[in-house]
Amino acid sequence: MTFGQLLSSIMSMSAFHSLPLPLVQLSLDAVLKCGQSFRWSIFSLAQPSDASHEYRLCLRDRVVCLRQTPTHLFYRSIYPEPQPSETQTRLRDAETLIWLKDYFQLDIDLANLYQEWGNRDKVFLGLRERFLGIRMLRQDPWENLISFICSSNNNISRITKMVQNLCTHYSPALLHIPDPSCPENCVPYHPFPPPSALAQPEVSAKLRSLGFGYRADFIQKTAQMLVETHGSSSEEWLMGLRKETTEQAREELLKFMGVGRKVADCVLLMSLDKKEVIPVDTHVHQIAIKHYGLKGTLNGKKVNMTPKIYEEVNTKLVGVWGDYAGWAHSVLFTSDLKSFSSYGLQTPSPTPTPSLSPAKASNKRSRKEYESIILPTPPLTPQKEYPSAVSDTLLPDMSEQSLADRVKKRRRGVAQT
DNA sequence: GTTGTACCGGGG
DNA sequence: CCCGGTACAA
C-alpha cells in the first residue's frame, strides 16, 4: 500500500478507543450477524488494517462504530453537529463505553459458560471451538419487540431490510457519514423510531406498501396499544419488565398484537435479561430432534409446533444447558444458520448411536471468519485501561416508573375461567 | 385446552 | 413449496 493509504488508515483509526477483549469473549462477526439485532451496518475495510470490518449502529444521539482484532475491541462515537467540546466529547465517549459493556454484557465470562456447556453437552463440545465468542446481546426492549414481530415467517435478510425501512421512514436521520470502503458517498444514520411514531393508524397502510405484509398491522397495533396504555413512558415501561419474573413479563408481552410465545421469548431472552429462556422456532425444534432425541415424527408425519411440543423442547434443552440455556441456544442456533453452514452443525447422522459420538468429525479445518490481514505497523496500539463499573441502564438513563395501573388491554386469556 | 388454516412476500 | 409464527375459528 502507498504511504498515503497507510497514513489515511492510521488517521481513520485514530479516533478509536480500545478495550482488551479476546475472541473467546466476543466475536462481532458472529454476534452482530446471527439474527439477534438487525440494525448494525457492516463495512469491509478497503485499507488493510488489522480489523477487516467496521460495524455501525445509530443509537439515540450518536453513531457507534466498532472494529475488532483478535485481542481488542475498538470503538468510537460520532456525534451530529455541532460537535461537542473536547471535554464534552470525553464525557460522551465514556457513556459509549458504559453502553458497550452493558450491550455486550461483558461482565459475563463467556469462556466459563462455554466450559460449563461443554461439560454438560457433547454436541456443544464438538461445536464450541468453531463458534467462539457467541454471546447474548442486551438490547433495547422496544426495538427488540418490533424487530421480532417482523420475524414471523421470515428470514434474516428480509427482517433486516424491514427494520431499516422502519428507521428511514419513521425517524429522521441523525447525521451522514462517509462509507469507509467508499468515502465518496455518505450514508444516513437513523435512530430506531419511538413508539409514538408507529402508533398512528395510517402507519399500517404505509408499511404494507413497503412490503411488510400482514406484519404491518401487528406493528401499528402494538405501538398503538403501548402508547395508549403507557403514553410517553412506554419504552421505560418495557424496560421495567426486566425486574419482573419471566412469567410475569411474558404475560405482558403476549398481550401485544403479533406477539406469540416465540416472539415473546425472543424479547425475554434478548432484552429482558431472562437468560434461561429458549425461543423455540422451527430451527431450534429441528436441532432438538436431530441432536437431543426429541420425536420428529408421529405416525410417519412431521410433528407440528404446538404449545405442548414447545414446552417439551424447552424443558429438554434447559435440562441440558442449565440456567444460561438461552445463551447456549444462541450458539447452536448460529451454528445452524445457512450463512454459517460451511462449518456449522453437521447432520452427519451416520452416527451409530445418537448422542454418543464424541465430536470427532469436527476437524474440518475451519477457516476463521475473523481471519484478517496483519498490518506491518498496527494503526493503533491499544491504549489505557478503562473503568470497570458497568451501569445497568442505558445512555441518558431511564428512570424507573412504577405505574401500578396496568390497563388490561385484553385479548388472549379473556374468554376463559 | 387442542388442532387446523389463512396470511404478505421473498427465495429455492 | 418452504419459511426464524400468529390470530382466529372450529
Side-chain angles (χ1 to χ4, degrees):
Chain A
M1 87 172 97
T2 70
F3 176 75
Q5 285 174 325
L6 178 59
L7 186 62
S8 101
S9 168
I10 292 174
M11 293 306 285
S12 75
M13 282 295 276
S14 66
F16 281 82
H17 299 250
S18 72
L19 196 60
L21 191 63
L23 282 163
V24 294
Q25 289 298 332
L26 172 66
S27 166
L28 283 188
D29 289 323
V31 171
L32 300 186
K33 291 189 293 196
C34 70
Q36 289 188 51
S37 168
F38 302 95
R39 215 156 57 82
W40 286 91
S41 50
I42 174 172
F43 301 92
S44 297
L45 296 179
Q47 314 291 330
S49 80
D50 51 6
S52 53
H53 301 294
E54 177 167 326
Y55 294 90
R56 293 176 174 176
L57 177 69
C58 183
L59 200 61
R60 298 166 183 273
D61 64 341
R62 70 196 66 188
V63 174
V64 177
C65 307
L66 262 31
R67 297 185 187 185
Q68 185 172 38
T69 68
T71 58
H72 292 265
L73 178 65
F74 291 88
Y75 66 96
R76 80 165 158 168
S77 301
I78 301 179
Y79 308 102
E81 302 294 345
Q83 289 307 309
S85 68
E86 191 168 328
T87 55
Q88 193 56 225
T89 296
R90 225 186 306 284
L91 233 57
R92 295 174 76 177
D93 285 353
E95 286 180 328
T96 297
L97 176 57
I98 290 174
W99 177 81
L100 277 176
K101 299 182 79 167
D102 182 77
Y103 185 74
F104 289 107
Q105 315 205 64
L106 296 183
D107 55 325
I108 303 294
D109 184 350
L110 195 61
N112 255 351
L113 291 176
Y114 268 50
Q115 183 64 48
E116 158 113 17
W117 298 328
N119 291 340
R120 288 167 159 264
D121 174 17
K122 292 191 172 138
V123 176
F124 185 89
L125 197 56
L127 221 49
R128 60 178 194 179
E129 63 240 14
R130 282 171 294 160
F131 294 91
L132 296 176
I134 299 176
R135 59 168 59 236
M136 195 53 54
L137 300 175
R138 190 176 195 231
Q139 301 187 66
D140 172 72
W142 160 245
E143 174 178 339
N144 194 218
L145 175 63
I146 296 302
S147 298
F148 278 85
I149 285 177
C150 293
S151 79
S152 75
N153 239 316
N154 213 342
N155 56 65
I156 291 180
S157 93
R158 183 150 81 118
I159 299 167
T160 301
K161 287 172 192 153
M162 290 164 69
V163 171
Q164 178 129 41
N165 268 335
L166 283 178
C167 295
T168 58
H169 289 269
Y170 292 96
S171 165
L174 178 73
L175 48 68
H176 297 252
I177 312 175
D179 179 338
S181 61
C182 183
E184 300 82 67
N185 42 325
C186 271
V187 187
Y189 288 83
H190 302 255
F192 193 82
S196 58
L198 299 178
Q200 318 308 332
E202 60 272 20
V203 166
S204 106
K206 179 161 178 183
L207 289 183
R208 283 234 172 218
S209 74
L210 287 172
F212 279 65
Y214 54 80
R215 304 162 197 86
D217 305 86
F218 293 162
I219 291 169
Q220 185 274 327
K221 290 217 178 77
T222 288
Q224 180 177 19
M225 200 174 302
L226 202 47
V227 168
E228 280 176 355
T229 53
H230 300 101
S232 59
S233 46
S234 295
E235 293 178 90
E236 290 87 339
W237 178 81
L238 280 173
M239 197 72 82
L241 294 179
R242 285 176 173 171
K243 294 187 172 56
E244 308 274 322
T245 66
T246 296
E247 290 69 26
Q248 288 172 325
R250 180 185 289 126
E251 188 181 349
E252 294 298 329
L253 292 173
L254 287 174
K255 291 175 183 172
F256 295 110
M257 198 61 71
V259 179
R261 176 66 189 269
K262 191 269 178 178
V263 170
D265 281 0
C266 283
V267 177
L268 289 172
L269 173 66
M270 306 192 218
S271 61
L272 296 180
D273 298 339
K274 305 302 184 280
K275 56 194 185 334
E276 78 288 357
V277 170
I278 299 179
V280 182
D281 52 34
T282 53
H283 252 284
V284 173
H285 186 200
Q286 292 310 310
I287 291 174
I289 291 170
K290 290 182 198 168
H291 301 281
Y292 298 94
L294 267 83
K295 298 178 298 294
T297 58
L298 181 59
N299 304 327
K301 304 184 61 167
K302 286 185 295 184
V303 308
N304 277 324
M305 179 57 62
T306 63
K308 189 186 183 75
I309 300 290
Y310 193 107
E311 291 300 343
E312 286 178 15
V313 173
N314 216 47
T315 302
K316 171 64 183 177
L317 295 181
V318 170
V320 172
W321 295 321
D323 61 346
Y324 273 80
W327 287 48
H329 130 280
S330 160
V331 179
L332 270 283
F333 182 85
T334 302
S335 76
D336 203 42
L337 281 177
K338 289 193 184 71
S339 45
F340 294 81
S341 65
S342 50
Y343 37 109
L345 250 194
Q346 317 297 10
T347 316
S349 31
T351 49
T353 43
S355 81
L356 271 184
S357 69
K360 73 162 185 243
S362 54
N363 294 331
K364 291 182 66 74
R365 189 55 277 148
S366 63
R367 50 171 226 287
K368 305 246 168 70
E369 282 233 353
Y370 39 77
E371 186 171 58
S372 58
I373 303 161
I374 304 299
L375 190 65
T377 61
L380 185 64
T381 52
Q383 2 153 88
K384 54 186 159 205
E385 86 318 321
Y386 48 92
S388 60
V390 174
S391 159
D392 61 345
T393 50
L394 294 193
L395 294 179
D397 186 303
M398 3 217 58
S399 60
E400 212 49 58
Q401 46 52 257
S402 47
L403 204 48
D405 63 316
R406 319 272 259 331
V407 184
K408 295 302 179 187
K409 247 319 203 219
R410 213 29 340 222
R411 222 178 85 231
R412 283 185 269 286
V414 66
Q416 80 293 41
T417 302

